[in-house]
Amino acid sequence: MDKEDTLLQKRLIELSRTAYIRGIVTFSDFLNLNELNILHTTPKHQFQSPYVTYGGYGLSERQMVAFLPDALYAFSGDAFDAEVLQFPMVNLTVEPLNERFCEELTHRDYLGALMNLGIERCKLGDIMVEGSKAFLFVRDEMVGYICENLTRIRHTSVKVNVSQDFPKDYEPAYEVMKGTVASIRLDTVLSLAFPASRSKLTAYIEGAKVFVNGKLITSNGYRLKEGDIISVRKLGRIVYDGVVSETKKGRYLAVVRKYI
């Protein structure tokens, strides 16, 4: 690990220690995939408290970690539901003041406008673009500042409101893709979803840019399980939905959902 990764690991260990000593729930900021991988690969004995992660909905990519005091975790055990905790995050809706004159804004446009306000990326969770509006999770202390100051994205005037009852089972728009593969290896399944050569996909995997269920995977031959969520930095995210059938030649008809 480099210096920044080591500092993050120390901060997470300290949060777990605080939860244990003070008997309170402690929360991190939003963690990206690399940071979540550091969390998950840190030996469990280094954390004095158990933890759960959550990003506002089931398929969230950027998530906070909550370290739980013994009394709270002992009451619920391994079946602890992260949604019952009051994570310090709020969902906001960003929409144009006048839909007739709005531009087609992308994830990058929304993120750029927020960063231009001087907001650190760790204070922002997932940003979901749906047509002319976007939903975003933010650290609770940033709500007032964003609602007051995010008034324009590119040339489009916008308004920001706190979302009411954002669905916890929210799923971004996706495209179902099918194809035959020789085996259920990570590299072959990725080739179904992304228009890239096998060598390029191999470079993504070996270059530490592919995560399965939040954990960094660097082996091309990693065998997937049905329901695995695969994130490839700069390419996108898919869910492996399993095998539909097997051909007479021993190949597999596999299905993936590619999020748009």
Side-chain angles (χ1 to χ4, degrees), residues 69-100:
D70 282 349
L72 179 60
Y73 190 77
F75 178 77
S76 301
D78 292 335
F80 191 89
D81 185 356
E83 293 183 20
V84 304
L85 290 175
Q86 295 296 314
F87 276 79
M89 67 176 76
V90 175
N91 185 262
L92 301 178
T93 303
V94 184
E95 53 190 332
L97 284 176
N98 190 329
E99 197 162 335
R100 288 179 58 193

PDB file of all heavy atoms in Angstrom, residues 69-100:
ATOM      1  N   PRO A  69     -20.731  -0.835  17.991  1.00  0.00           N
ATOM      2  CA  PRO A  69     -20.334  -1.257  19.339  1.00  0.00           C
ATOM      3  C   PRO A  69     -20.818  -2.681  19.600  1.00  0.00           C
ATOM      4  O   PRO A  69     -21.789  -3.146  19.006  1.00  0.00           O
ATOM      5  CB  PRO A  69     -21.027  -0.247  20.245  1.00  0.00           C
ATOM      6  CG  PRO A  69     -22.186   0.253  19.442  1.00  0.00           C
ATOM      7  CD  PRO A  69     -21.718   0.250  18.011  1.00  0.00           C
ATOM      8  N   ASP A  70     -20.154  -3.364  20.501  1.00  0.00           N
ATOM      9  CA  ASP A  70     -20.461  -4.770  20.761  1.00  0.00           C
ATOM     10  C   ASP A  70     -21.924  -5.006  21.111  1.00  0.00           C
ATOM     11  O   ASP A  70     -22.547  -5.962  20.648  1.00  0.00           O
ATOM     12  CB  ASP A  70     -19.583  -5.304  21.903  1.00  0.00           C
ATOM     13  CG  ASP A  70     -18.173  -5.618  21.421  1.00  0.00           C
ATOM     14  OD1 ASP A  70     -17.962  -5.618  20.202  1.00  0.00           O
ATOM     15  OD2 ASP A  70     -17.291  -5.843  22.265  1.00  0.00           O
ATOM     16  N   ALA A  71     -22.489  -4.132  21.927  1.00  0.00           N
ATOM     17  CA  ALA A  71     -23.864  -4.345  22.391  1.00  0.00           C
ATOM     18  C   ALA A  71     -24.847  -4.333  21.229  1.00  0.00           C
ATOM     19  O   ALA A  71     -25.767  -5.147  21.152  1.00  0.00           O
ATOM     20  CB  ALA A  71     -24.242  -3.277  23.409  1.00  0.00           C
ATOM     21  N   LEU A  72     -24.645  -3.415  20.292  1.00  0.00           N
ATOM     22  CA  LEU A  72     -25.550  -3.312  19.145  1.00  0.00           C
ATOM     23  C   LEU A  72     -25.397  -4.504  18.219  1.00  0.00           C
ATOM     24  O   LEU A  72     -26.379  -5.092  17.753  1.00  0.00           O
ATOM     25  CB  LEU A  72     -25.275  -2.015  18.381  1.00  0.00           C
ATOM     26  CG  LEU A  72     -26.132  -1.756  17.136  1.00  0.00           C
ATOM     27  CD1 LEU A  72     -27.606  -1.704  17.511  1.00  0.00           C
ATOM     28  CD2 LEU A  72     -25.720  -0.448  16.463  1.00  0.00           C
ATOM     29  N   TYR A  73     -24.160  -4.906  17.958  1.00  0.00           N
ATOM     30  CA  TYR A  73     -23.933  -6.017  17.043  1.00  0.00           C
ATOM     31  C   TYR A  73     -24.381  -7.343  17.670  1.00  0.00           C
ATOM     32  O   TYR A  73     -24.959  -8.185  16.998  1.00  0.00           O
ATOM     33  CB  TYR A  73     -22.454  -6.107  16.677  1.00  0.00           C
ATOM     34  CG  TYR A  73     -22.187  -7.086  15.552  1.00  0.00           C
ATOM     35  CD1 TYR A  73     -22.468  -6.738  14.233  1.00  0.00           C
ATOM     36  CD2 TYR A  73     -21.681  -8.353  15.824  1.00  0.00           C
ATOM     37  CE1 TYR A  73     -22.246  -7.632  13.203  1.00  0.00           C
ATOM     38  CE2 TYR A  73     -21.452  -9.258  14.792  1.00  0.00           C
ATOM     39  CZ  TYR A  73     -21.726  -8.882  13.487  1.00  0.00           C
ATOM     40  OH  TYR A  73     -21.508  -9.776  12.461  1.00  0.00           O
ATOM     41  N   ALA A  74     -24.147  -7.500  18.958  1.00  0.00           N
ATOM     42  CA  ALA A  74     -24.525  -8.739  19.635  1.00  0.00           C
ATOM     43  C   ALA A  74     -26.037  -8.941  19.603  1.00  0.00           C
ATOM     44  O   ALA A  74     -26.528 -10.067  19.523  1.00  0.00           O
ATOM     45  CB  ALA A  74     -24.033  -8.722  21.078  1.00  0.00           C
ATOM     46  N   PHE A  75     -26.780  -7.834  19.612  1.00  0.00           N
ATOM     47  CA  PHE A  75     -28.242  -7.921  19.606  1.00  0.00           C
ATOM     48  C   PHE A  75     -28.756  -8.455  18.270  1.00  0.00           C
ATOM     49  O   PHE A  75     -29.716  -9.210  18.204  1.00  0.00           O
ATOM     50  CB  PHE A  75     -28.843  -6.540  19.881  1.00  0.00           C
ATOM     51  CG  PHE A  75     -30.345  -6.515  19.848  1.00  0.00           C
ATOM     52  CD1 PHE A  75     -31.077  -6.999  20.923  1.00  0.00           C
ATOM     53  CD2 PHE A  75     -31.031  -6.015  18.748  1.00  0.00           C
ATOM     54  CE1 PHE A  75     -32.464  -6.981  20.894  1.00  0.00           C
ATOM     55  CE2 PHE A  75     -32.410  -6.000  18.712  1.00  0.00           C
ATOM     56  CZ  PHE A  75     -33.134  -6.477  19.792  1.00  0.00           C
ATOM     57  N   SER A  76     -28.077  -8.073  17.158  1.00  0.00           N
ATOM     58  CA  SER A  76     -28.551  -8.440  15.826  1.00  0.00           C
ATOM     59  C   SER A  76     -27.763  -9.576  15.199  1.00  0.00           C
ATOM     60  O   SER A  76     -28.272 -10.292  14.346  1.00  0.00           O
ATOM     61  CB  SER A  76     -28.494  -7.211  14.899  1.00  0.00           C
ATOM     62  OG  SER A  76     -29.293  -6.175  15.410  1.00  0.00           O
ATOM     63  N   GLY A  77     -26.464  -9.720  15.579  1.00  0.00           N
ATOM     64  CA  GLY A  77     -25.647 -10.795  15.030  1.00  0.00           C
ATOM     65  C   GLY A  77     -25.317 -10.568  13.568  1.00  0.00           C
ATOM     66  O   GLY A  77     -25.351  -9.450  13.056  1.00  0.00           O
ATOM     67  N   ASP A  78     -25.005 -11.668  12.875  1.00  0.00           N
ATOM     68  CA  ASP A  78     -24.554 -11.590  11.492  1.00  0.00           C
ATOM     69  C   ASP A  78     -25.639 -11.100  10.544  1.00  0.00           C
ATOM     70  O   ASP A  78     -25.356 -10.716   9.412  1.00  0.00           O
ATOM     71  CB  ASP A  78     -24.050 -12.956  11.020  1.00  0.00           C
ATOM     72  CG  ASP A  78     -22.774 -13.360  11.737  1.00  0.00           C
ATOM     73  OD1 ASP A  78     -22.060 -12.450  12.196  1.00  0.00           O
ATOM     74  OD2 ASP A  78     -22.510 -14.569  11.846  1.00  0.00           O
ATOM     75  N   ALA A  79     -26.903 -11.115  10.995  1.00  0.00           N
ATOM     76  CA  ALA A  79     -28.005 -10.693  10.130  1.00  0.00           C
ATOM     77  C   ALA A  79     -28.262  -9.193  10.236  1.00  0.00           C
ATOM     78  O   ALA A  79     -29.308  -8.714   9.830  1.00  0.00           O
ATOM     79  CB  ALA A  79     -29.278 -11.466  10.490  1.00  0.00           C
ATOM     80  N   PHE A  80     -27.303  -8.451  10.780  1.00  0.00           N
ATOM     81  CA  PHE A  80     -27.496  -7.017  10.989  1.00  0.00           C
ATOM     82  C   PHE A  80     -27.838  -6.329   9.675  1.00  0.00           C
ATOM     83  O   PHE A  80     -27.194  -6.533   8.653  1.00  0.00           O
ATOM     84  CB  PHE A  80     -26.241  -6.385  11.586  1.00  0.00           C
ATOM     85  CG  PHE A  80     -26.465  -4.976  12.058  1.00  0.00           C
ATOM     86  CD1 PHE A  80     -26.903  -4.744  13.345  1.00  0.00           C
ATOM     87  CD2 PHE A  80     -26.272  -3.903  11.214  1.00  0.00           C
ATOM     88  CE1 PHE A  80     -27.136  -3.446  13.784  1.00  0.00           C
ATOM     89  CE2 PHE A  80     -26.495  -2.604  11.642  1.00  0.00           C
ATOM     90  CZ  PHE A  80     -26.926  -2.382  12.930  1.00  0.00           C
ATOM     91  N   ASP A  81     -28.882  -5.510   9.684  1.00  0.00           N
ATOM     92  CA  ASP A  81     -29.356  -4.804   8.496  1.00  0.00           C
ATOM     93  C   ASP A  81     -28.833  -3.372   8.533  1.00  0.00           C
ATOM     94  O   ASP A  81     -29.216  -2.589   9.412  1.00  0.00           O
ATOM     95  CB  ASP A  81     -30.877  -4.818   8.455  1.00  0.00           C
ATOM     96  CG  ASP A  81     -31.449  -4.196   7.187  1.00  0.00           C
ATOM     97  OD1 ASP A  81     -30.658  -3.680   6.371  1.00  0.00           O
ATOM     98  OD2 ASP A  81     -32.673  -4.218   7.015  1.00  0.00           O
ATOM     99  N   ALA A  82     -27.991  -3.021   7.561  1.00  0.00           N
ATOM    100  CA  ALA A  82     -27.390  -1.680   7.551  1.00  0.00           C
ATOM    101  C   ALA A  82     -28.435  -0.584   7.445  1.00  0.00           C
ATOM    102  O   ALA A  82     -28.224   0.538   7.908  1.00  0.00           O
ATOM    103  CB  ALA A  82     -26.394  -1.570   6.397  1.00  0.00           C
ATOM    104  N   GLU A  83     -29.594  -0.889   6.832  1.00  0.00           N
ATOM    105  CA  GLU A  83     -30.599   0.143   6.608  1.00  0.00           C
ATOM    106  C   GLU A  83     -31.230   0.644   7.903  1.00  0.00           C
ATOM    107  O   GLU A  83     -31.841   1.714   7.921  1.00  0.00           O
ATOM    108  CB  GLU A  83     -31.676  -0.370   5.650  1.00  0.00           C
ATOM    109  CG  GLU A  83     -31.159  -0.620   4.240  1.00  0.00           C
ATOM    110  CD  GLU A  83     -32.265  -1.053   3.282  1.00  0.00           C
ATOM    111  OE1 GLU A  83     -33.439  -0.804   3.595  1.00  0.00           O
ATOM    112  OE2 GLU A  83     -31.949  -1.631   2.238  1.00  0.00           O
ATOM    113  N   VAL A  84     -31.110  -0.119   8.986  1.00  0.00           N
ATOM    114  CA  VAL A  84     -31.718   0.321  10.239  1.00  0.00           C
ATOM    115  C   VAL A  84     -30.888   1.419  10.896  1.00  0.00           C
ATOM    116  O   VAL A  84     -31.378   2.130  11.769  1.00  0.00           O
ATOM    117  CB  VAL A  84     -31.912  -0.861  11.218  1.00  0.00           C
ATOM    118  CG1 VAL A  84     -32.727  -1.958  10.577  1.00  0.00           C
ATOM    119  CG2 VAL A  84     -30.578  -1.400  11.720  1.00  0.00           C
ATOM    120  N   LEU A  85     -29.644   1.552  10.510  1.00  0.00           N
ATOM    121  CA  LEU A  85     -28.797   2.610  11.052  1.00  0.00           C
ATOM    122  C   LEU A  85     -29.119   3.945  10.387  1.00  0.00           C
ATOM    123  O   LEU A  85     -29.473   3.994   9.217  1.00  0.00           O
ATOM    124  CB  LEU A  85     -27.321   2.279  10.817  1.00  0.00           C
ATOM    125  CG  LEU A  85     -26.722   1.135  11.620  1.00  0.00           C
ATOM    126  CD1 LEU A  85     -25.298   0.877  11.158  1.00  0.00           C
ATOM    127  CD2 LEU A  85     -26.746   1.432  13.107  1.00  0.00           C
ATOM    128  N   GLN A  86     -28.956   4.995  11.133  1.00  0.00           N
ATOM    129  CA  GLN A  86     -29.145   6.336  10.589  1.00  0.00           C
ATOM    130  C   GLN A  86     -27.806   6.820  10.033  1.00  0.00           C
ATOM    131  O   GLN A  86     -27.099   7.613  10.652  1.00  0.00           O
ATOM    132  CB  GLN A  86     -29.680   7.280  11.670  1.00  0.00           C
ATOM    133  CG  GLN A  86     -31.065   6.936  12.174  1.00  0.00           C
ATOM    134  CD  GLN A  86     -32.116   7.062  11.069  1.00  0.00           C
ATOM    135  OE1 GLN A  86     -32.143   8.035  10.323  1.00  0.00           O
ATOM    136  NE2 GLN A  86     -32.972   6.053  10.954  1.00  0.00           N
ATOM    137  N   PHE A  87     -27.457   6.321   8.853  1.00  0.00           N
ATOM    138  CA  PHE A  87     -26.211   6.768   8.235  1.00  0.00           C
ATOM    139  C   PHE A  87     -26.298   8.273   7.964  1.00  0.00           C
ATOM    140  O   PHE A  87     -27.356   8.776   7.553  1.00  0.00           O
ATOM    141  CB  PHE A  87     -25.974   6.026   6.920  1.00  0.00           C
ATOM    142  CG  PHE A  87     -25.310   4.688   7.074  1.00  0.00           C
ATOM    143  CD1 PHE A  87     -26.040   3.585   7.474  1.00  0.00           C
ATOM    144  CD2 PHE A  87     -23.954   4.530   6.820  1.00  0.00           C
ATOM    145  CE1 PHE A  87     -25.437   2.350   7.623  1.00  0.00           C
ATOM    146  CE2 PHE A  87     -23.340   3.301   6.969  1.00  0.00           C
ATOM    147  CZ  PHE A  87     -24.081   2.206   7.366  1.00  0.00           C
ATOM    148  N   PRO A  88     -25.204   9.000   8.171  1.00  0.00           N
ATOM    149  CA  PRO A  88     -25.227  10.461   7.975  1.00  0.00           C
ATOM    150  C   PRO A  88     -25.174  10.849   6.505  1.00  0.00           C
ATOM    151  O   PRO A  88     -24.240  11.515   6.051  1.00  0.00           O
ATOM    152  CB  PRO A  88     -23.984  10.920   8.743  1.00  0.00           C
ATOM    153  CG  PRO A  88     -23.035   9.768   8.621  1.00  0.00           C
ATOM    154  CD  PRO A  88     -23.898   8.530   8.687  1.00  0.00           C
ATOM    155  N   MET A  89     -26.174  10.410   5.746  1.00  0.00           N
ATOM    156  CA  MET A  89     -26.249  10.729   4.326  1.00  0.00           C
ATOM    157  C   MET A  89     -27.674  11.117   3.968  1.00  0.00           C
ATOM    158  O   MET A  89     -28.636  10.693   4.627  1.00  0.00           O
ATOM    159  CB  MET A  89     -25.794   9.549   3.462  1.00  0.00           C
ATOM    160  CG  MET A  89     -26.706   8.338   3.525  1.00  0.00           C
ATOM    161  SD  MET A  89     -26.208   6.995   2.410  1.00  0.00           S
ATOM    162  CE  MET A  89     -24.812   6.307   3.306  1.00  0.00           C
ATOM    163  N   VAL A  90     -27.791  11.933   2.943  1.00  0.00           N
ATOM    164  CA  VAL A  90     -29.096  12.402   2.471  1.00  0.00           C
ATOM    165  C   VAL A  90     -29.113  12.289   0.959  1.00  0.00           C
ATOM    166  O   VAL A  90     -28.096  12.509   0.297  1.00  0.00           O
ATOM    167  CB  VAL A  90     -29.344  13.871   2.898  1.00  0.00           C
ATOM    168  CG1 VAL A  90     -30.646  14.404   2.305  1.00  0.00           C
ATOM    169  CG2 VAL A  90     -29.367  13.982   4.419  1.00  0.00           C
ATOM    170  N   ASN A  91     -30.272  11.943   0.396  1.00  0.00           N
ATOM    171  CA  ASN A  91     -30.411  11.894  -1.058  1.00  0.00           C
ATOM    172  C   ASN A  91     -31.032  13.195  -1.551  1.00  0.00           C
ATOM    173  O   ASN A  91     -32.043  13.662  -1.013  1.00  0.00           O
ATOM    174  CB  ASN A  91     -31.288  10.709  -1.475  1.00  0.00           C
ATOM    175  CG  ASN A  91     -31.347  10.561  -2.985  1.00  0.00           C
ATOM    176  OD1 ASN A  91     -32.284  11.013  -3.633  1.00  0.00           O
ATOM    177  ND2 ASN A  91     -30.334   9.937  -3.552  1.00  0.00           N
ATOM    178  N   LEU A  92     -30.410  13.773  -2.574  1.00  0.00           N
ATOM    179  CA  LEU A  92     -30.890  15.023  -3.166  1.00  0.00           C
ATOM    180  C   LEU A  92     -31.329  14.792  -4.605  1.00  0.00           C
ATOM    181  O   LEU A  92     -30.792  13.923  -5.296  1.00  0.00           O
ATOM    182  CB  LEU A  92     -29.782  16.084  -3.149  1.00  0.00           C
ATOM    183  CG  LEU A  92     -29.200  16.473  -1.792  1.00  0.00           C
ATOM    184  CD1 LEU A  92     -28.082  17.491  -1.974  1.00  0.00           C
ATOM    185  CD2 LEU A  92     -30.283  17.012  -0.860  1.00  0.00           C
ATOM    186  N   THR A  93     -32.302  15.569  -5.030  1.00  0.00           N
ATOM    187  CA  THR A  93     -32.735  15.571  -6.426  1.00  0.00           C
ATOM    188  C   THR A  93     -32.291  16.868  -7.071  1.00  0.00           C
ATOM    189  O   THR A  93     -32.531  17.956  -6.530  1.00  0.00           O
ATOM    190  CB  THR A  93     -34.262  15.461  -6.539  1.00  0.00           C
ATOM    191  OG1 THR A  93     -34.713  14.287  -5.881  1.00  0.00           O
ATOM    192  CG2 THR A  93     -34.697  15.403  -8.005  1.00  0.00           C
ATOM    193  N   VAL A  94     -31.618  16.760  -8.209  1.00  0.00           N
ATOM    194  CA  VAL A  94     -31.193  17.935  -8.970  1.00  0.00           C
ATOM    195  C   VAL A  94     -31.956  17.915 -10.291  1.00  0.00           C
ATOM    196  O   VAL A  94     -31.889  16.945 -11.040  1.00  0.00           O
ATOM    197  CB  VAL A  94     -29.678  17.911  -9.254  1.00  0.00           C
ATOM    198  CG1 VAL A  94     -29.251  19.197  -9.968  1.00  0.00           C
ATOM    199  CG2 VAL A  94     -28.892  17.733  -7.963  1.00  0.00           C
ATOM    200  N   GLU A  95     -32.698  18.997 -10.566  1.00  0.00           N
ATOM    201  CA  GLU A  95     -33.480  19.046 -11.797  1.00  0.00           C
ATOM    202  C   GLU A  95     -33.468  20.453 -12.370  1.00  0.00           C
ATOM    203  O   GLU A  95     -33.234  21.435 -11.660  1.00  0.00           O
ATOM    204  CB  GLU A  95     -34.911  18.579 -11.545  1.00  0.00           C
ATOM    205  CG  GLU A  95     -35.627  19.290 -10.428  1.00  0.00           C
ATOM    206  CD  GLU A  95     -36.938  18.595 -10.086  1.00  0.00           C
ATOM    207  OE1 GLU A  95     -37.518  17.952 -10.978  1.00  0.00           O
ATOM    208  OE2 GLU A  95     -37.378  18.687  -8.929  1.00  0.00           O
ATOM    209  N   PRO A  96     -33.697  20.583 -13.683  1.00  0.00           N
ATOM    210  CA  PRO A  96     -33.631  21.906 -14.317  1.00  0.00           C
ATOM    211  C   PRO A  96     -34.783  22.800 -13.882  1.00  0.00           C
ATOM    212  O   PRO A  96     -35.894  22.315 -13.609  1.00  0.00           O
ATOM    213  CB  PRO A  96     -33.708  21.578 -15.816  1.00  0.00           C
ATOM    214  CG  PRO A  96     -34.412  20.264 -15.876  1.00  0.00           C
ATOM    215  CD  PRO A  96     -33.975  19.512 -14.658  1.00  0.00           C
ATOM    216  N   LEU A  97     -34.511  24.096 -13.821  1.00  0.00           N
ATOM    217  CA  LEU A  97     -35.585  25.053 -13.531  1.00  0.00           C
ATOM    218  C   LEU A  97     -36.596  25.080 -14.663  1.00  0.00           C
ATOM    219  O   LEU A  97     -37.796  25.226 -14.437  1.00  0.00           O
ATOM    220  CB  LEU A  97     -34.994  26.453 -13.316  1.00  0.00           C
ATOM    221  CG  LEU A  97     -34.302  26.714 -11.979  1.00  0.00           C
ATOM    222  CD1 LEU A  97     -33.696  28.116 -11.962  1.00  0.00           C
ATOM    223  CD2 LEU A  97     -35.277  26.545 -10.819  1.00  0.00           C
ATOM    224  N   ASN A  98     -36.105  24.954 -15.892  1.00  0.00           N
ATOM    225  CA  ASN A  98     -36.989  24.940 -17.056  1.00  0.00           C
ATOM    226  C   ASN A  98     -36.566  23.787 -17.960  1.00  0.00           C
ATOM    227  O   ASN A  98     -35.531  23.847 -18.619  1.00  0.00           O
ATOM    228  CB  ASN A  98     -36.906  26.267 -17.816  1.00  0.00           C
ATOM    229  CG  ASN A  98     -37.984  26.392 -18.880  1.00  0.00           C
ATOM    230  OD1 ASN A  98     -38.415  25.404 -19.471  1.00  0.00           O
ATOM    231  ND2 ASN A  98     -38.438  27.627 -19.118  1.00  0.00           N
ATOM    232  N   GLU A  99     -37.361  22.741 -17.983  1.00  0.00           N
ATOM    233  CA  GLU A  99     -36.985  21.542 -18.727  1.00  0.00           C
ATOM    234  C   GLU A  99     -36.907  21.794 -20.228  1.00  0.00           C
ATOM    235  O   GLU A  99     -36.180  21.096 -20.945  1.00  0.00           O
ATOM    236  CB  GLU A  99     -37.977  20.414 -18.430  1.00  0.00           C
ATOM    237  CG  GLU A  99     -37.455  19.047 -18.810  1.00  0.00           C
ATOM    238  CD  GLU A  99     -38.222  17.932 -18.145  1.00  0.00           C
ATOM    239  OE1 GLU A  99     -38.819  18.170 -17.079  1.00  0.00           O
ATOM    240  OE2 GLU A  99     -38.217  16.815 -18.697  1.00  0.00           O
ATOM    241  N   ARG A 100     -37.599  22.782 -20.715  1.00  0.00           N
ATOM    242  CA  ARG A 100     -37.585  23.078 -22.158  1.00  0.00           C
ATOM    243  C   ARG A 100     -36.215  23.555 -22.626  1.00  0.00           C
ATOM    244  O   ARG A 100     -35.841  23.351 -23.788  1.00  0.00           O
ATOM    245  CB  ARG A 100     -38.628  24.156 -22.490  1.00  0.00           C
ATOM    246  CG  ARG A 100     -40.074  23.694 -22.413  1.00  0.00           C
ATOM    247  CD  ARG A 100     -41.006  24.841 -22.730  1.00  0.00           C
ATOM    248  NE  ARG A 100     -40.732  25.401 -24.057  1.00  0.00           N
ATOM    249  CZ  ARG A 100     -41.221  26.565 -24.487  1.00  0.00           C
ATOM    250  NH1 ARG A 100     -41.981  27.306 -23.692  1.00  0.00           N
ATOM    251  NH2 ARG A 100     -40.931  26.990 -25.691  1.00  0.00           N
TER     252      ARG A 100
END
